[in-house]
Amino acid sequence: MENSQKVKVSEKIKQNQDYMKEHIGIGVSFDLGYRKLTILKKEIDIYYLTGLCDTSVIVEIMKMLVDINDVESNQRKLPEIIENRLVHQQVTRVKGMDEVVDQLLSGLIVIFVDGLDEAFVVDVRKYPGRGPKEPDTEKVVRGSRDGYTENIIENTALTRRRIRDERLRVEIMKVGERSKTDVCLMYLKDVADDGLVDLIKNEIENIEIDGVSMAEKTVEEFLVKQGYNPYPQVRYTERPDVASAHLFEGHVVLMVDTSPSMIITPTTFFHHVQHAEEYRQSPAVGTFVRWARFLGIFASLFLLPLWLTFVMDPSLLPKGLEFIGPNEEGNIPVVLQIILADIGIEFMRMAAIHTPTPLSTAMGLIAAVLIGEIAIQVGLFMPEVILYVALSAIGSFATPSYELSVANKMSKVFLVIVVAIFGAKGLVAGLTVWLLLLASMKSLNTPYLWPFIPFDLKGMIQILFRVSVPLTKRRLSVTHPKNNYRQPPS
Amino acid sequence: MENNQTEPKLEQNQHKKPMSLFHKAILTGFVGGVFWSGLASLAYYFNFMEVSHASFILRSFFNGTWTQGLLGEVISMVIVGVLSIGTALVYYLFFKKRGGMLPGILFGSVLWIAFMYFLNPMFEAVPLFSDLKMDTVITSICLYVLYGTFIGYSISYEYENIQLASSNKGKSSQNAG
């Protein structure tokens, strides 16, 4: 590798041919090829990667090149003539062979001219991909329906459509020794915290790996180093409006080529419980929706442990709530019922992801009607267990962030087990430990439970209520924005 | 007028300045007191604890029926909020420079020992420490620890931020000079 990095484009076109044959396997790999042209009695080679370039553009360029034979005669000025005739806005001259190879494999065409120690690289890329489509995971009733795609260039375009600011910075880096994946860092220069931008840039530059085929997830793991902590430390979004809203707030958005999910940093727990839909409705409705969602998330976490506590010690129940708890003990301990039912729901969830749509209706029928009904009749589960497990499952589906809902599920199982062992004491102690652990987490130097612990009144109000936009004059302090105001202070 | 014109930057800086740490401590103390005592009331309602803050503040000194039930709890929540400003200021005065969460946890534990153990005889409506149920002991210590963390971490984090901001400002002015 060391050697090849020093190789320069040779004046002798034969040497270049040999290099290409040896290094990228022209003639072996079927999708790489070259076309020989003779222009003013000199040989010109055009190298291409069939899958990734736009043939119509190449044909157009070749027409212009061949035309040179008819209208020009000055052989000595051939390189300049050719450069002029490359009718495309993105033409660069490249000296190093390794860069030539990199560009060729990204889908650009490379043109060698006999007698010239440089190569022309023309950006005629056209990547296979889909058009912008509303992301499945973040649907809204009203509002824009475009979503990020797998193409990083399209993604920057979608963001630029929303932020035409001259101060928007879009820095690109390459990650992966072999995959050479493009990673792009987006931020507002005069708002985002310099320290944060530098920190992220450093972390990305320090990634040394052969390839990042799982794109943004792999990059995230290098970035936040969360180990076995299940709680998500960055927020993902596939919606350009959400990403630009965060850019305005002073967040840094990371996009990785081949993935439609953008990474938003830094994030706290409460970033994961908000949803674009709330900002598409009036503040009152948005607040209502948000509180309903909070209740759902709350239920997905605490309902089962709390109910189990009351089942184990009915004396805890205050007057008027004595009806809670089973009328007759089942055949299996309640804890086991809860855990079994919960695992059952987990089966269903996983199966629903992999099952093709025609089969999933049948699957839902079997799962819901047969298992639910019959498990009770057989005496495996108590009806109340099914009710609370279902409620908590629905609550977890109402969590806007998929990552958070899974992490909450794990915490719930932990709490259920602690309650089963220690009862009410276990619930309180378990909750305390859970809260303290969450509060001690830091994602890119941002406390995870901000604005709750450490407390910040303004931030907390914006979490608890969907505040109307004209009233939110200041940016939240969590990103340490360099410019505090979104609207001129009155 | 001239003064205003020559120092427009100063005014802007004043706008940008976040709430001072002192005010923030007061606010955090009040909110923390109300929030965590509210949780304590909830725990009392569900019989996780046999005493609540109202037992300390109201029921030990007054006998009316209003000290029972929701009304008593709410009144006592507000009182705890006000008293909690005092504890927050104590933390602000002595411990604000200690970063992280551990000091807050210890602070909460010390408060718990003080109120539940040493000051216990002062409160008639609270059973002796040795008579308290295990559930009560665990629940109350957890609440105190969380309360301490809330107060401590909030104040020290804000202190850290202000230090950081002022050191950054110092740097940039040095560069400008």
Side-chain angles (χ1 to χ4, degrees):
Chain A
M1 282 310 281
E2 276 299 301
N3 241 344
S4 71
Q5 270 171 7
K6 286 172 198 156
V7 174
K8 294 250 166 24
V9 176
S10 163
E11 283 188 21
K12 289 177 189 134
I13 204 155
K14 188 82 186 71
Q15 273 187 19
N16 291 335
Q17 277 172 15
D18 292 342
Y19 182 94
M20 297 298 260
K21 261 185 201 140
E22 188 193 333
H23 279 84
I24 58 173
I26 301 245
V28 180
S29 301
F30 81 98
D31 58 343
L32 283 162
Y34 70 102
R35 166 77 204 262
K36 229 182 254 186
L37 288 177
T38 309
I39 310 282
L40 300 183
K41 293 174 191 153
K42 284 214 173 163
E43 188 184 329
I44 288 180
D45 290 347
I46 303 177
Y47 288 82
Y48 57 85
L49 181 65
T50 38
L52 298 179
C53 46
D54 190 345
T55 307
S56 57
V57 178
I58 300 178
V59 169
E60 200 62 36
I61 288 174
M62 279 169 63
K63 261 188 212 159
M64 294 299 285
L65 290 180
V66 175
D67 272 355
I68 296 176
N69 283 331
D70 303 335
V71 285
E72 301 277 354
S73 52
N74 191 349
Q75 262 200 36
R76 273 179 301 158
K77 284 213 163 176
L78 186 64
E80 286 81 3
I81 294 171
I82 287 181
E83 188 170 13
N84 257 348
R85 294 269 172 160
L86 291 172
V87 282
H88 197 277
Q89 78 272 27
Q90 293 192 38
V91 178
T92 40
R93 284 171 176 239
V94 168
K95 285 209 157 109
M97 225 40 193
D98 57 327
E99 197 181 340
V100 164
V101 170
D102 272 4
Q103 302 281 41
L104 176 63
L105 293 178
S106 313
L108 293 82
I109 56 168
V110 179
I111 300 168
F112 291 107
V113 179
D114 196 15
L116 180 67
D117 62 346
E118 284 174 318
F120 296 109
V121 172
V122 188
D123 191 345
V124 294
R125 269 180 287 196
K126 191 182 154 202
Y127 287 168
R130 61 192 173 102
K133 193 186 106 190
E134 185 174 31
D136 276 337
T137 45
E138 290 169 277
K139 285 189 172 158
V140 291
V141 179
R142 285 191 204 292
S144 62
R145 306 235 179 268
D146 53 353
Y148 285 122
T149 64
E150 282 76 8
N151 185 330
I152 196 169
I153 304 297
E154 261 169 40
N155 292 346
T156 55
L158 284 170
T159 318
R160 286 262 189 205
R161 288 257 293 122
R162 285 170 172 80
I163 308 178
R164 288 179 177 155
D165 189 10
E166 56 188 11
R167 289 154 291 194
L168 177 66
R169 292 291 173 269
V170 185
E171 293 187 31
I172 202 154
M173 282 173 271
K174 277 205 187 337
V175 168
E177 193 58 41
R178 286 175 192 276
S179 71
K180 300 203 168 66
T181 312
D182 290 321
V183 175
C184 161
L185 196 68
M186 248 187 191
Y187 57 93
L188 288 178
K189 197 187 108 199
D190 63 330
V191 179
D193 183 32
D194 292 332
L196 177 68
V197 174
D198 290 343
L199 176 74
I200 295 176
K201 252 193 249 175
N202 257 334
E203 292 288 348
I204 291 177
E205 271 161 15
N206 287 336
I207 297 176
E208 281 181 8
I209 193 173
D210 54 349
V212 284
S213 35
M214 289 303 150
E216 86 288 354
K217 185 66 203 161
T218 316
V219 172
E220 181 222 307
E221 278 174 29
F222 277 103
L223 197 62
V224 293
K225 305 180 180 76
Q226 67 179 38
Y228 276 93
N229 182 345
Y231 275 88
Q233 307 206 5
V234 299
R235 182 180 175 189
Y236 290 113
T237 186
E238 296 187 27
R239 295 185 62 88
D241 46 2
V242 172
S244 26
H246 282 88
L247 282 171
F248 286 133
E249 279 290 310
H251 289 263
V252 176
V253 171
L254 261 178
M255 34 181 84
V256 182
D257 198 16
T258 71
S259 163
S261 306
M262 307 292 117
I263 300 176
I264 299 173
T265 57
T267 36
T268 67
F269 182 86
F270 296 100
H271 280 108
H272 294 276
V273 298
Q274 301 180 31
H275 193 271
E277 176 71 13
E278 293 153 9
Y279 288 90
R280 290 279 179 199
Q281 305 287 344
S282 69
V285 176
T287 306
F288 172 72
V289 170
R290 186 173 285 179
W291 277 78
R293 183 169 286 128
F294 284 168
L295 262 182
I297 297 168
F298 206 75
S300 76
L301 255 174
F302 303 129
L303 190 65
L304 283 176
L306 198 65
W307 180 70
L308 182 63
T309 317
F310 293 143
V311 170
M312 290 174 59
D313 187 358
S315 71
L316 291 175
L317 286 166
K319 260 184 218 147
L321 290 179
E322 292 95 346
F323 66 90
I324 291 174
N327 294 326
E328 49 191 76
E329 280 291 320
N331 304 317
I332 303 180
V334 182
V335 202
L336 218 58
Q337 291 188 30
I338 290 178
I339 291 177
L340 280 178
D342 216 46
I343 290 176
I345 285 189
E346 198 64 6
F347 284 164
M348 256 166 65
R349 197 180 58 80
M350 281 189 281
I353 296 175
H354 309 307
T355 323
T357 330
L359 294 183
S360 63
T361 338
M363 195 202 76
L365 211 70
I366 296 174
V369 181
L370 297 186
I371 298 184
E373 280 282 335
I374 294 176
I376 293 173
Q377 284 176 16
V378 169
L380 193 61
F381 293 147
M382 298 181 302
E384 249 187 313
V385 170
I386 303 268
L387 169 70
Y388 290 117
V389 168
L391 259 178
S392 112
I394 304 248
S396 83
F397 292 145
T399 313
S401 154
Y402 172 71
E403 289 84 8
L404 183 71
S405 77
V406 179
N408 277 345
K409 189 179 275 257
M410 290 171 70
S411 312
K412 174 186 72 186
V413 172
F414 159 75
L415 285 176
V416 164
I417 291 172
V418 173
V419 168
I421 301 173
F422 299 108
K425 300 181 275 295
L427 179 65
V428 177
L431 270 178
T432 306
V433 169
W434 175 77
L435 252 180
L436 287 178
L437 284 180
L438 277 191
S440 68
M441 271 170 69
K442 277 194 164 192
S443 151
L444 297 171
N445 295 332
T446 310
Y448 198 56
L449 282 186
W450 189 96
F452 173 44
I453 304 174
F455 184 68
D456 183 277
L457 187 66
K458 285 205 179 74
M460 203 63 212
I461 286 175
Q462 291 206 18
I463 301 288
L464 291 180
F465 303 99
R466 191 299 225 181
V467 183
S468 97
V469 175
L471 292 182
T472 45
K473 292 197 191 303
R474 292 180 71 112
R475 296 194 166 92
L476 289 180
S477 65
V478 64
T479 50
H480 302 295
K482 283 196 278 185
N483 179 337
N484 280 320
Y485 289 99
R486 321 173 63 186
Q487 301 173 40
S490 47
Chain B
M1 278 301 282
E2 270 189 12
N3 252 340
N4 275 347
Q5 272 179 345
T6 48
E7 292 172 356
K9 268 194 175 171
L10 263 185
E11 203 171 29
Q12 202 184 22
N13 283 345
Q14 274 175 357
H15 264 294
K16 273 186 184 175
K17 212 175 212 171
M19 212 186 299
S20 82
L21 188 57
F22 181 73
H23 289 123
K24 180 123 188 171
I26 290 177
L27 186 75
T28 309
F30 184 74
V31 173
V34 172
F35 178 77
W36 293 107
S37 65
L39 268 191
S41 294
L42 201 70
Y44 175 67
Y45 175 69
F46 281 115
N47 299 314
F48 282 64
M49 290 196 294
E50 58 207 296
V51 292
S52 89
H53 44 91
S55 318
F56 285 84
I57 293 170
L58 298 179
R59 288 192 275 274
S60 294
F61 304 106
F62 305 100
N63 262 330
T65 43
W66 57 274
T67 59
Q68 315 285 331
L70 188 64
L71 182 66
E73 296 296 326
V74 171
I75 293 174
S76 144
M77 260 160 73
V78 175
I79 297 176
V80 172
V82 174
L83 293 178
S84 162
I85 293 176
T87 46
L89 288 182
V90 169
Y91 196 94
Y92 166 77
L93 285 178
F94 299 110
F95 310 111
K96 66 179 174 218
K97 288 183 188 169
R98 321 221 165 231
M101 281 177 33
L102 202 59
I105 294 176
L106 293 178
F107 184 67
S109 317
V110 170
L111 279 181
W112 179 79
I113 294 170
F115 276 96
M116 297 298 279
Y117 190 77
F118 287 113
L119 296 181
N120 184 305
M122 266 176 64
F123 304 103
E124 263 176 43
V126 181
L128 283 177
F129 186 77
S130 49
D131 295 342
L132 286 173
K133 277 198 242 161
M134 201 56 191
D135 278 2
T136 309
V137 174
I138 300 272
T139 307
S140 57
I141 196 172
C142 283
L143 282 169
Y144 270 98
V145 163
L146 288 174
Y147 167 77
T149 315
F150 182 88
I151 299 278
Y153 195 24
S154 299
I155 293 176
S156 64
Y157 176 74
E158 196 59 28
Y159 177 77
E160 236 170 73
N161 268 349
I162 290 175
Q163 294 300 106
L164 207 70
S166 62
S167 75
N168 275 353
K169 241 179 223 169
K171 259 184 217 164
S172 60
S173 67
Q174 271 178 5
N175 287 347

